[in-house]
Amino acid sequence: MLPEDIKETFITYLKDKAHRITNERFLILDASLNMDEHFDADELYLKMKNDYINVSRATVYKTLELMSECHILTKHNFKGDRTRYETKIGRNPHYHIICVKCNKIIEYEYPELEKIQKKICKDNNLEMVDHSIQVFAKCKDPKNCKNNLNQNNLN
Amino acid sequence: MLPEDIKETFITYLKDKAHRITNERFLILDASLNMDEHFDADELYLKMKNDYINVSRATVYKTLELMSECHILTKHNFKGDRTRYETKIGRNPHYHIICVKCNKIIEYEYPELEKIQKKICKDNNLEMVDHSIQVFAKCKDPKNCKNNLNQNNLN
DNA sequence: TTCAGTGCAAAAACTTTGCAGGAGG
DNA sequence: CCTCCTGCAAAGTTTTTGCACTGAA
């Protein structure tokens, strides 16, 4: 999906919900798509501030929620702390393995799983719209694990 | 697993980590196991208070964390709000489908999935310890969905 | 022109922490 | 007896809200 198409998706959603088309919303959309990995509202706010793009924290929170509602972003809670977001655009469905010792996140794809989920939803008279899957594990290699310890880094 | 065995699991864990065996910890263990479904720290605290079991909020938070570390409970974040817990004891691994409109939660089991997860962890030199899987969907039947609307009930 | 969106600060919601007293090992 | 645990309140974090102003439709 091209950036223009994403913008179009967002505009279509906003119009559909009778939300207004504002410059702030596009600034936040652009900034989100430029984030490398998972990010939270405050990180995005600070990144934008650092780039001299001034929008308020409240607007960032609200806009991320809108983008998650129209499936441009997925919401995650990897460790029960802050809500983190991730762009779905240009990515296959994937899942997260989180080391409970060092917080390292490994992503994996398993296309079959998406089919299973959709089937189960259908069987229950539901229409699947998204997912957030976390598998918790421990690094077996202590060296790899220690390297990431104390970073408190979930990106 | 019998209640006594769960208690034994908890004691073994506490001893192993050089944590103390206290009455409060057992009171919270018992109360957790008596919660019907998913619950958060404050709900458990209030339930216990209502049953004239007086432990502090701080102790509830800390003990739930301990119980989750030793895999008696699983931690979830269904909607990015509060941390919710769920007893693993006496239950098969299962997954949650959450209706984004009415917050209803449907649980499903899919034994194959557990095997896939373990394999992927192993392939990445990780040892799987737990998982929290949320599939977001929409109720297709508006009547069913509306019944649950505005309850703000994640149990 | 109208009313939703924005920015700011204040409040709310959830969780952790500091400290004094009490209890486990 | 030495710590760790507990309870309480206070503080910390993350997110939401109220209000006056601005700008999209």
Side-chain angles (χ1 to χ4, degrees):
Chain A
M1 210 180 211
L2 297 167
E4 305 88 74
D5 297 331
I6 302 167
K7 198 165 175 173
E8 210 50 57
T9 301
F10 197 33
I11 291 173
T12 304
Y13 166 80
L14 291 173
K15 285 188 177 165
D16 183 52
K17 297 283 178 181
H19 291 145
R20 292 189 177 163
I21 313 293
T22 68
N23 194 39
E24 285 81 358
R25 285 173 176 168
F26 291 132
L27 292 172
I28 294 164
L29 174 65
D30 285 344
S32 297
L33 299 178
N34 286 325
M35 292 300 273
D36 288 333
E37 293 273 347
H38 317 110
F39 60 92
D40 64 52
D42 206 54
E43 276 168 15
L44 185 66
Y45 168 74
L46 293 173
K47 172 78 159 53
M48 292 180 76
K49 189 165 196 131
N50 191 56
D51 294 342
Y52 306 103
I53 302 166
N54 289 304
V55 288
S56 73
R57 230 181 216 101
T59 304
V60 171
Y61 273 95
K62 282 182 187 168
T63 305
L64 290 177
E65 189 59 34
L66 292 174
M67 291 171 64
S68 142
E69 272 169 31
C70 69
H71 312 302
I72 292 172
L73 301 177
T74 297
K75 258 170 121 163
H76 297 289
N77 266 85
F78 294 120
K79 292 240 308 169
D81 52 358
R82 284 167 284 183
T83 299
R84 290 181 162 264
Y85 295 87
E86 180 180 47
T87 308
K88 290 173 72 176
I89 307 299
R91 299 219 49 189
N92 291 324
H94 62 277
Y95 316 99
H96 299 93
I97 308 175
I98 301 146
C99 175
V100 295
K101 294 193 285 178
C102 71
N103 291 341
K104 182 168 59 185
I105 297 182
I106 292 174
E107 301 188 346
Y108 69 96
E109 294 185 11
Y110 194 81
E112 188 63 26
L113 191 47
E114 180 97 351
K115 287 180 203 157
I116 295 165
Q117 290 168 7
K118 284 193 171 150
K119 190 188 175 312
I120 293 166
C121 284
K122 206 178 168 192
D123 291 349
N124 284 283
N125 205 29
L126 292 149
E127 183 197 348
M128 177 177 157
V129 295
D130 204 357
H131 66 229
S132 174
I133 296 190
Q134 290 99 240
V135 175
F136 300 104
K138 289 179 185 170
C139 292
K140 279 186 187 166
D141 180 355
K143 284 191 292 295
N144 260 332
C145 195
K146 278 186 189 151
N147 287 343
N148 291 276
L149 222 98
N150 299 324
Q151 285 194 1
N152 197 28
N153 178 355
L154 287 163
N155 291 315
Chain B
M1 210 180 214
L2 296 168
E4 305 87 74
D5 297 330
I6 302 167
K7 198 164 176 173
E8 210 50 56
T9 300
F10 196 33
I11 291 173
T12 304
Y13 166 80
L14 292 173
K15 285 188 177 165
D16 183 51
K17 297 282 177 182
H19 292 144
R20 289 186 180 164
I21 313 293
T22 68
N23 194 40
E24 285 81 358
R25 285 173 177 170
F26 292 133
L27 292 172
I28 294 164
L29 173 66
D30 286 344
S32 298
L33 299 177
N34 286 325
M35 292 301 272
D36 288 332
E37 293 272 347
H38 316 111
F39 60 92
D40 63 51
D42 207 55
E43 277 168 16
L44 184 65
Y45 168 75
L46 293 172
K47 172 79 160 50
M48 292 181 76
K49 188 164 197 132
N50 190 55
D51 294 342
Y52 306 103
I53 302 166
N54 289 304
V55 288
S56 72
R57 230 180 216 103
T59 304
V60 170
Y61 273 95
K62 282 182 187 167
T63 305
L64 290 177
E65 188 58 34
L66 293 174
M67 289 171 66
S68 142
E69 271 169 33
C70 70
H71 311 303
I72 292 172
L73 301 177
T74 297
K75 259 171 121 163
H76 296 289
N77 267 85
F78 293 122
K79 293 239 308 167
D81 52 356
R82 283 167 285 184
T83 299
R84 291 183 162 265
Y85 295 88
E86 181 180 47
T87 308
K88 290 173 72 177
I89 308 300
R91 299 219 49 188
N92 291 326
H94 63 278
Y95 316 100
H96 300 93
I97 309 175
I98 301 146
C99 175
V100 294
K101 294 193 285 180
C102 70
N103 291 341
K104 182 168 60 184
I105 296 181
I106 292 174
E107 300 188 345
Y108 69 95
E109 293 185 9
Y110 193 83
E112 188 64 27
L113 191 47
E114 180 97 351
K115 286 179 205 160
I116 296 165
Q117 290 168 7
K118 283 193 173 152
K119 189 189 176 310
I120 294 166
C121 284
K122 207 178 166 192
D123 291 349
N124 284 281
N125 205 29
L126 293 149
E127 184 197 347
M128 178 176 156
V129 296
D130 204 357
H131 67 230
S132 174
I133 296 189
Q134 291 100 240
V135 175
F136 301 104
K138 289 178 184 171
C139 292
K140 279 187 187 165
D141 180 356
K143 284 192 292 296
N144 260 333
C145 196
K146 277 186 190 149
N147 286 343
N148 291 276
L149 222 99
N150 299 325
Q151 285 194 1
N152 198 27
N153 178 354
L154 287 164
N155 291 315

